[in-house]
């Protein structure tokens, strides 16, 4: 077996493992529950080089956006006015 064939088989195995684990983003998706234990939500977003997965939100906290004081404090604390699209901070602010 040549070295090139071994590399090709390895690449195929890596792709299969990533697909099974949901590790690749191939299109922009809406908000989903995250595959990570420490995050609540996940999205796939388009970047200049392709697609990336963004995890955000604390699974232990609820969003209390009906309270104007809490909403104002959250937006000030996270600097929502300067959040760039495609970042975890942007999506977290957008939920509020």
């Amino acid at each position: 077996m040549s070295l090139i064939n071994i590399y090709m088989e390895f690449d195929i195995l890596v792709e299969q493992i990533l697909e099974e684990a949901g590790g690749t983003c191939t299109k922009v998706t809406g908000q989903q529950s995250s595959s990570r234990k420490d995050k609540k939500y996940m999205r796939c977003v388009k970047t200049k080089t392709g697609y990336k997965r963004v995890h955000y939100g604390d699974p232990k906290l609820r969003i209390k956006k009906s309270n104007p004081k809490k909403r104002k404090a959250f937006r000030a604390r996270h600097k929502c006015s300067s959040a760039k699209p495609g970042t975890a901070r942007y999506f977290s602010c957008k939920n509020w």
Side-chain angles (χ1 to χ4, degrees):
M1 210 178 222
S2 72
L3 193 58
I4 295 172
N5 288 342
I6 293 172
Y7 282 127
M8 289 174 58
E9 288 179 20
F10 179 75
D11 288 340
I12 292 169
L13 286 173
V14 168
E15 286 177 16
Q16 289 174 349
I17 291 170
L18 287 174
E19 286 177 10
E20 289 173 4
T24 58
C25 284
T26 56
K27 62 179 182 177
V28 176
T29 61
Q31 182 172 296
Q32 304 169 357
S33 59
S34 180
S35 57
R36 288 175 40 186
K37 290 182 180 179
D38 62 334
K39 298 296 175 187
K40 191 170 191 175
Y41 303 116
M42 171 186 77
R43 284 181 184 235
C44 288
V45 296
K46 188 171 177 101
T47 61
K48 292 178 183 177
T49 58
Y51 294 94
K52 74 174 183 177
R53 186 183 295 179
V54 178
H55 297 269
Y56 60 98
D58 190 339
K60 298 173 186 168
L61 299 177
R62 277 186 27 236
I63 295 176
K64 302 172 185 91
K65 59 184 170 184
S66 59
N67 187 335
K69 289 181 181 177
K70 289 185 180 188
R71 183 172 42 226
K72 184 177 179 182
F74 178 90
R75 294 184 63 79
R77 186 169 62 248
H78 289 88
K79 300 177 184 168
C80 291
S81 59
S82 65
K84 294 181 181 175
T87 61
R89 182 169 61 155
Y90 172 81
F91 291 118
S92 186
C93 291
K94 191 174 177 183
N95 278 352
W96 277 79

